[in-house]
Coordinates of all heavy atoms in Angstrom, one line a residue:
T229 N -4.4 -11.4 6.4 CA -5.8 -11.4 6.0 C -6.1 -10.0 5.3 O -5.7 -9.0 5.8 CB -6.8 -11.5 7.1 OG1 -6.6 -12.8 7.8 CG2 -8.3 -11.5 6.6
L230 N -6.6 -10.1 4.1 CA -6.8 -8.9 3.3 C -8.3 -8.9 2.9 O -8.7 -9.7 2.1 CB -5.9 -8.9 2.0 CG -5.5 -7.6 1.3 CD1 -4.3 -7.8 0.5 CD2 -6.7 -7.1 0.5
K231 N -9.0 -7.9 3.4 CA -10.5 -7.9 3.2 C -10.8 -6.7 2.3 O -10.6 -5.5 2.7 CB -11.2 -7.9 4.5 CG -12.7 -8.1 4.4 CD -13.3 -8.5 5.7 CE -14.7 -8.9 5.6 NZ -15.3 -9.4 6.9
I232 N -11.5 -6.9 1.2 CA -11.9 -5.9 0.3 C -13.4 -5.6 0.6 O -14.2 -6.6 0.5 CB -11.7 -6.3 -1.2 CG1 -10.3 -6.6 -1.4 CG2 -12.2 -5.1 -2.1 CD1 -10.0 -7.4 -2.7
L233 N -13.8 -4.4 1.0 CA -15.1 -4.1 1.4 C -16.0 -3.5 0.2 O -15.4 -3.0 -0.8 CB -15.1 -3.1 2.5 CG -14.2 -3.5 3.7 CD1 -14.3 -2.4 4.8 CD2 -14.6 -4.8 4.3
P234 N -17.3 -3.6 0.3 CA -18.1 -3.0 -0.7 C -17.9 -1.5 -0.9 O -17.5 -0.8 0.0 CB -19.5 -3.3 -0.2 CG -19.4 -4.4 0.7 CD -18.1 -4.2 1.4
K235 N -18.1 -1.0 -2.1 CA -17.8 0.4 -2.4 C -18.7 1.3 -1.6 O -19.8 1.0 -1.2 CB -18.0 0.6 -3.9 CG -19.5 0.5 -4.4 CD -19.5 0.7 -5.9 CE -21.0 0.5 -6.4 NZ -21.0 0.7 -7.9
I236 N -18.2 2.5 -1.3 CA -18.9 3.6 -0.7 C -19.2 4.6 -1.7 O -18.3 5.2 -2.3 CB -18.1 4.2 0.5 CG1 -17.8 3.1 1.5 CG2 -18.8 5.3 1.1 CD1 -16.8 3.6 2.6
E237 N -20.4 4.9 -2.0 CA -20.8 5.8 -3.1 C -20.5 7.2 -2.7 O -20.6 7.6 -1.5 CB -22.3 5.7 -3.5 CG -22.6 4.3 -4.1 CD -22.1 4.2 -5.5 OE1 -21.5 5.2 -6.0 OE2 -22.4 3.2 -6.2
T238 N -20.1 8.1 -3.7 CA -19.8 9.5 -3.4 C -20.7 10.4 -4.3 O -20.5 11.6 -4.3 CB -18.3 9.8 -3.7 OG1 -18.1 9.5 -5.1 CG2 -17.4 9.0 -2.9
K239 N -21.6 9.8 -5.1 CA -22.4 10.5 -6.0 C -23.2 11.6 -5.3 O -23.8 11.4 -4.2 CB -23.4 9.6 -6.7 CG -24.2 10.3 -7.8 CD -25.0 9.3 -8.6 CE -25.7 10.0 -9.8 NZ -26.5 9.0 -10.6
G240 N -23.1 12.8 -5.8 CA -23.9 14.0 -5.2 C -23.2 14.7 -4.1 O -23.6 15.7 -3.6
M241 N -22.0 14.2 -3.7 CA -21.3 14.8 -2.5 C -20.5 16.0 -3.0 O -20.1 16.1 -4.1 CB -20.4 13.7 -1.9 CG -21.1 12.6 -1.1 SD -20.0 11.6 -0.2 CE -21.1 10.4 0.5
T242 N -20.2 16.9 -2.1 CA -19.4 18.0 -2.3 C -18.3 18.1 -1.2 O -18.3 17.2 -0.3 CB -20.2 19.3 -2.2 OG1 -20.7 19.5 -0.9 CG2 -21.4 19.3 -3.2
S243 N -17.5 19.1 -1.2 CA -16.4 19.2 -0.2 C -17.0 19.3 1.2 O -16.4 18.9 2.2 CB -15.6 20.4 -0.4 OG -16.4 21.6 -0.5
D244 N -18.3 19.7 1.3 CA -18.9 19.8 2.7 C -19.1 18.4 3.3 O -19.3 18.2 4.5 CB -20.3 20.5 2.6 CG -20.1 22.0 2.2 OD1 -19.1 22.5 2.5 OD2 -21.1 22.5 1.7
N245 N -19.2 17.4 2.4 CA -19.4 16.0 2.9 C -18.1 15.2 3.2 O -18.2 14.1 3.6 CB -20.2 15.2 1.8 CG -21.5 15.9 1.4 OD1 -21.7 16.4 0.3 ND2 -22.4 15.9 2.4
V246 N -17.0 15.8 2.9 CA -15.7 15.1 3.0 C -15.4 14.6 4.4 O -15.0 13.5 4.6 CB -14.5 16.0 2.5 CG1 -13.2 15.4 3.0 CG2 -14.6 16.1 1.0
A247 N -15.7 15.4 5.4 CA -15.4 15.0 6.8 C -16.2 13.8 7.2 O -15.7 12.9 7.8 CB -15.6 16.2 7.7
D248 N -17.5 13.9 6.9 CA -18.4 12.8 7.2 C -18.0 11.5 6.5 O -18.1 10.4 7.0 CB -19.9 13.1 6.9 CG -20.5 14.1 7.9 OD1 -19.9 14.3 9.0 OD2 -21.5 14.7 7.5
L249 N -17.6 11.7 5.2 CA -17.2 10.5 4.4 C -15.9 9.9 5.0 O -15.8 8.7 5.0 CB -16.9 11.0 2.9 CG -16.5 9.9 1.9 CD1 -17.6 8.9 1.7 CD2 -16.2 10.6 0.6
S250 N -15.0 10.7 5.4 CA -13.8 10.2 6.0 C -14.1 9.5 7.3 O -13.5 8.4 7.6 CB -12.9 11.4 6.3 OG -11.7 11.0 7.1
D251 N -15.0 10.1 8.2 CA -15.3 9.4 9.4 C -16.0 8.1 9.2 O -15.7 7.1 9.9 CB -16.2 10.4 10.3 CG -15.4 11.6 10.8 OD1 -14.2 11.6 10.7 OD2 -16.1 12.5 11.2
K252 N -16.9 8.1 8.3 CA -17.6 6.8 8.0 C -16.7 5.7 7.5 O -16.7 4.6 8.0 CB -18.7 7.1 6.9 CG -19.4 5.8 6.4 CD -20.4 6.1 5.3 CE -21.1 4.9 4.8 NZ -22.0 5.2 3.7
S253 N -15.7 6.1 6.6 CA -14.8 5.1 6.1 C -13.8 4.7 7.3 O -13.5 3.5 7.4 CB -13.9 5.8 5.0 OG -14.8 6.2 4.0
Y254 N -13.4 5.6 8.1 CA -12.5 5.3 9.2 C -13.2 4.3 10.2 O -12.6 3.2 10.5 CB -12.1 6.5 10.0 CG -11.2 6.3 11.2 CD1 -9.9 6.4 11.1 CD2 -11.8 6.0 12.4 CE1 -9.0 6.1 12.2 CE2 -11.0 5.7 13.5 CZ -9.6 5.8 13.4 OH -8.8 5.6 14.5
D255 N -14.4 4.6 10.6 CA -15.1 3.7 11.5 C -15.3 2.3 11.0 O -15.1 1.3 11.7 CB -16.5 4.3 11.9 CG -16.3 5.6 12.7 OD1 -15.3 5.8 13.3 OD2 -17.3 6.4 12.7
L256 N -15.7 2.2 9.7 CA -15.9 0.9 9.0 C -14.6 0.1 9.0 O -14.5 -1.0 9.4 CB -16.4 1.2 7.6 CG -16.6 -0.1 6.8 CD1 -17.6 -1.0 7.3 CD2 -17.0 0.3 5.3
M257 N -13.5 0.8 8.5 CA -12.2 0.1 8.3 C -11.6 -0.3 9.7 O -11.0 -1.4 9.8 CB -11.3 0.9 7.5 CG -11.7 1.1 6.1 SD -10.6 2.2 5.1 CE -9.0 1.3 5.2
R258 N -11.8 0.6 10.7 CA -11.2 0.3 12.0 C -11.9 -0.9 12.6 O -11.3 -1.8 13.2 CB -11.3 1.5 12.9 CG -10.8 1.3 14.3 CD -10.7 2.6 15.1 NE -10.1 2.4 16.4 CZ -10.7 2.3 17.5 NH1 -12.1 2.3 17.6 NH2 -10.1 2.1 18.7
S259 N -13.2 -1.0 12.5 CA -14.0 -2.1 13.0 C -13.5 -3.4 12.3 O -13.3 -4.4 13.0 CB -15.5 -1.9 12.7 OG -16.2 -3.0 13.1
V260 N -13.3 -3.4 11.0 CA -12.9 -4.6 10.3 C -11.5 -5.0 10.7 O -11.1 -6.1 10.9 CB -13.0 -4.4 8.8 CG1 -12.4 -5.5 8.0 CG2 -14.5 -4.2 8.3
F261 N -10.6 -4.0 10.8 CA -9.2 -4.2 11.2 C -9.1 -4.9 12.5 O -8.4 -5.9 12.7 CB -8.4 -2.9 11.2 CG -7.0 -3.0 11.8 CD1 -6.0 -3.5 11.0 CD2 -6.8 -2.6 13.1 CE1 -4.7 -3.6 11.5 CE2 -5.5 -2.8 13.6 CZ -4.5 -3.3 12.8
L262 N -9.8 -4.4 13.5 CA -9.8 -5.0 14.8 C -10.4 -6.4 14.8 O -9.9 -7.3 15.5 CB -10.6 -4.2 15.8 CG -10.0 -2.8 16.1 CD1 -10.9 -2.0 17.0 CD2 -8.6 -2.9 16.8
D263 N -11.4 -6.6 14.0 CA -12.0 -8.0 13.9 C -11.1 -9.0 13.2 O -10.9 -10.1 13.8 CB -13.3 -7.8 13.1 CG -14.0 -9.2 12.9 OD1 -14.3 -9.8 13.9 OD2 -14.3 -9.6 11.8
I264 N -10.5 -8.7 12.1 CA -9.7 -9.6 11.4 C -8.3 -9.8 12.0 O -7.6 -10.8 11.8 CB -9.5 -9.3 9.9 CG1 -8.8 -8.0 9.7 CG2 -10.9 -9.3 9.2 CD1 -8.6 -7.6 8.2
S265 N -7.9 -8.8 12.9 CA -6.7 -8.9 13.6 C -6.8 -9.6 15.0 O -5.8 -9.9 15.6 CB -6.0 -7.5 13.8 OG -5.9 -6.9 12.5
G266 N -8.0 -9.8 15.4 CA -8.2 -10.3 16.8 C -7.7 -9.4 17.8 O -7.2 -9.8 18.9
S267 N -7.9 -8.1 17.6 CA -7.3 -7.1 18.5 C -8.4 -6.4 19.3 O -9.5 -6.2 18.8 CB -6.5 -6.0 17.7 OG -5.5 -6.6 16.9
A268 N -8.0 -5.9 20.5 CA -8.9 -5.0 21.3 C -8.6 -3.6 20.9 O -7.5 -3.3 20.5 CB -8.7 -5.2 22.8
P269 N -9.6 -2.7 20.9 CA -9.3 -1.3 20.5 C -8.2 -0.7 21.4 O -8.2 -1.0 22.6 CB -10.7 -0.6 20.8 CG -11.7 -1.7 20.7 CD -11.0 -2.9 21.3
V270 N -7.4 0.1 20.8 CA -6.3 0.8 21.5 C -6.9 2.1 22.0 O -7.6 2.9 21.3 CB -5.1 1.1 20.6 CG1 -4.1 2.0 21.3 CG2 -4.5 -0.2 20.1
T271 N -6.7 2.4 23.3 CA -7.3 3.6 23.9 C -6.5 4.8 23.4 O -5.3 4.9 23.5 CB -7.2 3.6 25.4 OG1 -7.9 2.4 25.9 CG2 -7.8 4.8 26.0
Q272 N -7.2 5.7 22.8 CA -6.6 6.9 22.2 C -6.4 8.0 23.3 O -7.3 8.2 24.1 CB -7.4 7.5 21.0 CG -7.7 6.5 20.0 CD -6.6 6.3 19.0 OE1 -5.4 6.6 19.3 NE2 -6.8 5.6 17.9
S273 N -5.3 8.7 23.3 CA -5.0 9.7 24.3 C -6.0 10.8 24.3 O -6.3 11.5 25.3 CB -3.6 10.2 24.2 OG -3.4 10.8 22.9
N274 N -6.5 11.1 23.1 CA -7.5 12.2 22.9 C -8.9 11.8 22.9 O -9.8 12.5 22.5 CB -7.2 13.0 21.6 CG -5.9 13.7 21.6 OD1 -5.3 13.8 22.7 ND2 -5.5 14.3 20.5
G275 N -9.2 10.5 23.3 CA -10.6 10.1 23.4 C -11.0 9.4 22.1 O -10.2 9.4 21.1
P276 N -12.2 8.9 22.1 CA -12.7 8.2 20.9 C -12.9 9.0 19.7 O -13.0 8.5 18.6 CB -14.0 7.6 21.4 CG -14.4 8.5 22.5 CD -13.2 8.9 23.2
S277 N -12.9 10.3 19.8 CA -13.2 11.1 18.6 C -11.9 11.7 18.0 O -11.9 12.6 17.2 CB -14.0 12.4 19.0 OG -13.4 13.1 20.0
L278 N -10.8 11.0 18.2 CA -9.5 11.5 17.7 C -9.5 11.6 16.2 O -8.9 12.5 15.6 CB -8.4 10.5 18.1 CG -7.0 10.8 17.6 CD1 -6.5 12.1 18.2 CD2 -6.0 9.7 18.0

Side-chain angles (χ1 to χ4, degrees):
T229 299
L230 202 160
K231 192 164 186 175
I232 304 162
L233 307 181
K235 66 183 178 182
I236 300 173
E237 293 288 0
T238 61
K239 189 173 183 180
M241 291 187 179
T242 68
S243 58
D244 292 336
N245 303 113
V246 164
D248 287 341
L249 181 61
S250 173
D251 290 345
K252 176 183 177 181
S253 302
Y254 178 94
D255 290 340
L256 175 64
M257 290 177 63
R258 181 172 184 257
S259 175
V260 172
F261 173 78
L262 295 173
D263 180 54
I264 64 178
S265 302
S267 304
V270 174
T271 301
Q272 306 280 16
S273 59
N274 289 354
S277 60
L278 179 63

